Amino acid sequence: QVQLAESGGGSVQPGGSLRLSCVVSGDTGSRNCMGWFRQAPGKEREGLGAINSGGGSKFYNSSMKGRFTIDLDNSKNTVYLGMINLKPEDSAMYYCALARGACYFNTYDVPSKYDYWGQGTQVTVSS
Protein backbone atom coordinates (compact mmCIF):
# COMPACT_ATOMS: atom_id res chain seq x y z
CA GLN A 1 0.00 0.00 0.00
CA VAL A 2 1.17 3.50 -0.81
CA GLN A 3 0.49 6.49 1.40
CA LEU A 4 0.99 10.18 0.68
CA ALA A 5 0.99 12.92 3.29
CA GLU A 6 0.97 16.60 2.38
CA SER A 7 2.07 19.42 4.64
CA GLY A 8 3.08 23.05 4.44
CA GLY A 9 -0.24 24.69 3.71
CA GLY A 10 -1.52 27.69 5.59
CA SER A 11 -2.60 31.30 5.28
CA VAL A 12 -0.50 33.79 3.39
CA GLN A 13 -0.93 37.31 2.09
CA PRO A 14 -1.10 38.05 -1.64
CA GLY A 15 2.38 38.09 -3.12
CA GLY A 16 3.64 35.62 -0.54
CA SER A 17 5.23 32.21 -0.98
CA LEU A 18 4.72 28.70 0.30
CA ARG A 19 6.41 25.35 -0.18
CA LEU A 20 4.25 22.28 0.12
CA SER A 21 5.72 18.88 0.89
CA CYS A 22 4.41 15.42 0.14
CA VAL A 23 6.03 12.45 1.84
CA VAL A 24 5.50 9.15 0.09
CA SER A 25 5.66 5.80 1.90
CA GLY A 26 4.97 2.20 1.08
CA ASP A 27 5.68 0.01 -1.92
CA THR A 28 6.08 2.67 -4.56
CA GLY A 29 8.26 0.79 -7.03
CA SER A 30 11.04 2.48 -8.95
CA ARG A 31 9.28 4.50 -11.62
CA ASN A 32 6.36 6.73 -10.76
CA CYS A 33 4.79 10.01 -11.68
CA MET A 34 4.23 12.44 -8.82
CA GLY A 35 1.61 15.09 -9.47
CA TRP A 36 0.20 18.12 -7.70
CA PHE A 37 -3.43 19.15 -8.00
CA ARG A 38 -5.69 21.66 -6.33
CA GLN A 39 -9.40 22.01 -5.87
CA ALA A 40 -11.34 25.06 -4.79
CA PRO A 41 -14.93 24.86 -3.55
CA GLY A 42 -17.34 24.40 -6.43
CA LYS A 43 -14.56 23.86 -8.96
CA GLU A 44 -13.03 20.83 -10.63
CA ARG A 45 -9.73 19.40 -9.54
CA GLU A 46 -6.96 21.17 -11.46
CA GLY A 47 -3.61 19.69 -12.39
CA LEU A 48 -0.69 21.96 -11.53
CA GLY A 49 2.26 19.87 -12.60
CA ALA A 50 4.07 16.59 -12.23
CA ILE A 51 7.50 15.00 -12.14
CA ASN A 52 8.67 11.55 -13.18
CA SER A 53 10.74 9.85 -10.50
CA GLY A 54 12.74 7.85 -13.01
CA GLY A 55 14.07 10.46 -15.40
CA GLY A 56 13.08 13.61 -13.59
CA SER A 57 11.12 15.12 -16.47
CA LYS A 58 8.66 17.76 -15.35
CA PHE A 59 5.37 19.03 -16.67
CA TYR A 60 3.64 22.25 -15.68
CA ASN A 61 0.26 23.81 -16.20
CA SER A 62 1.07 26.85 -18.31
CA SER A 63 -1.60 28.89 -16.55
CA MET A 64 0.63 28.93 -13.46
CA LYS A 65 2.94 31.16 -15.52
CA GLY A 66 6.16 30.03 -13.89
CA ARG A 67 5.02 30.73 -10.33
CA PHE A 68 4.99 27.06 -9.31
CA THR A 69 7.98 24.69 -9.18
CA ILE A 70 8.04 20.95 -8.53
CA ASP A 71 11.06 19.17 -7.11
CA LEU A 72 11.71 15.62 -5.97
CA ASP A 73 14.11 14.41 -3.29
CA ASN A 74 14.33 10.65 -3.74
CA SER A 75 16.50 10.28 -0.64
CA LYS A 76 13.63 11.64 1.46
CA ASN A 77 10.79 10.16 -0.60
CA THR A 78 9.42 13.69 -0.77
CA VAL A 79 8.04 15.79 -3.59
CA TYR A 80 7.73 19.55 -3.21
CA LEU A 81 5.56 22.25 -4.71
CA GLY A 82 7.10 25.67 -4.43
CA MET A 83 4.73 28.59 -4.99
CA ILE A 84 5.60 32.27 -5.31
CA ASN A 85 3.61 35.45 -5.91
CA LEU A 86 0.49 33.83 -4.56
CA LYS A 87 -2.89 35.29 -5.43
CA PRO A 88 -6.31 35.01 -3.77
CA GLU A 89 -7.43 32.76 -6.63
CA ASP A 90 -4.73 30.26 -5.61
CA SER A 91 -6.74 29.50 -2.46
CA ALA A 92 -7.70 25.84 -2.55
CA MET A 93 -7.04 22.42 -1.12
CA TYR A 94 -3.79 21.13 -2.56
CA TYR A 95 -3.22 17.44 -3.19
CA CYS A 96 -0.29 15.31 -4.23
CA ALA A 97 -0.85 12.10 -6.13
CA LEU A 98 1.15 9.14 -7.39
CA ALA A 99 0.70 7.27 -10.64
CA ARG A 100 2.42 3.96 -11.35
CA GLY A 101 4.71 4.42 -14.32
CA ALA A 102 5.63 7.61 -16.12
CA CYS A 103 3.39 10.50 -16.98
CA TYR A 104 3.49 12.54 -20.17
CA PHE A 105 2.51 15.99 -21.36
CA ASN A 106 -1.02 14.82 -22.18
CA THR A 107 -1.63 12.78 -19.02
CA TYR A 108 0.07 14.53 -16.11
CA ASP A 109 -3.00 16.65 -15.34
CA VAL A 110 -5.62 13.90 -15.64
CA PRO A 111 -6.79 12.90 -12.14
CA SER A 112 -8.01 9.47 -13.24
CA LYS A 113 -4.46 8.54 -14.28
CA TYR A 114 -3.30 8.62 -10.66
CA ASP A 115 -3.49 5.62 -8.37
CA TYR A 116 -2.94 7.14 -4.93
CA TRP A 117 -3.82 10.47 -3.35
CA GLY A 118 -2.98 12.35 -0.21
CA GLN A 119 -5.61 13.94 2.00
CA GLY A 120 -4.64 17.45 1.00
CA THR A 121 -3.38 20.61 2.65
CA GLN A 122 -5.29 23.89 2.64
CA VAL A 123 -3.79 27.05 1.16
CA THR A 124 -5.54 30.36 1.80
CA VAL A 125 -4.35 33.59 0.21
CA SER A 126 -5.94 36.73 1.59
CA SER A 127 -5.08 40.10 2.97
Side-chain angles (χ1 to χ4, degrees):
Q1 186 69 10
V2 174
Q3 293 184 325
L4 297 89
E6 304 97 333
S7 63
S11 296
V12 63
Q13 292 186 341
S17 303
L18 282 174
R19 188 176 79 156
L20 309 183
S21 301
C22 174
V23 177
V24 184
S25 60
D27 183 15
T28 61
S30 60
R31 296 176 67 86
N32 299 292
C33 170
M34 298 299 306
W36 282 98
F37 291 77
R38 69 184 181 187
Q39 189 166 20
K43 295 188 177 181
E44 293 186 354
R45 191 160 295 194
E46 178 183 29
L48 304 175
I51 183 169
N52 283 321
S53 64
S57 53
K58 301 180 185 181
F59 307 93
Y60 290 102
N61 186 327
S62 60
S63 65
M64 299 303 115
K65 296 184 179 180
R67 297 186 298 120
F68 292 5
T69 303
I70 294 176
D71 291 298
L72 176 65
D73 187 337
N74 282 312
S75 67
K76 297 181 179 179
N77 293 328
T78 301
V79 60
Y80 302 96
L81 177 66
M83 305 182 291
I84 62 172
N85 192 22
L86 285 163
K87 306 173 182 181
E89 52 265 41
D90 292 319
S91 297
M93 186 71 78
Y94 283 68
Y95 300 91
C96 65
L98 182 148
R100 299 284 193 189
C103 52
Y104 303 92
F105 73 96
N106 60 340
T107 62
Y108 79 92
D109 59 349
V110 179
S112 62
K113 294 294 185 180
Y114 289 81
D115 302 293
Y116 302 96
W117 291 82
Q119 293 190 332
T121 185
Q122 179 69 39
V123 172
T124 302
V125 185
S126 69
S127 55

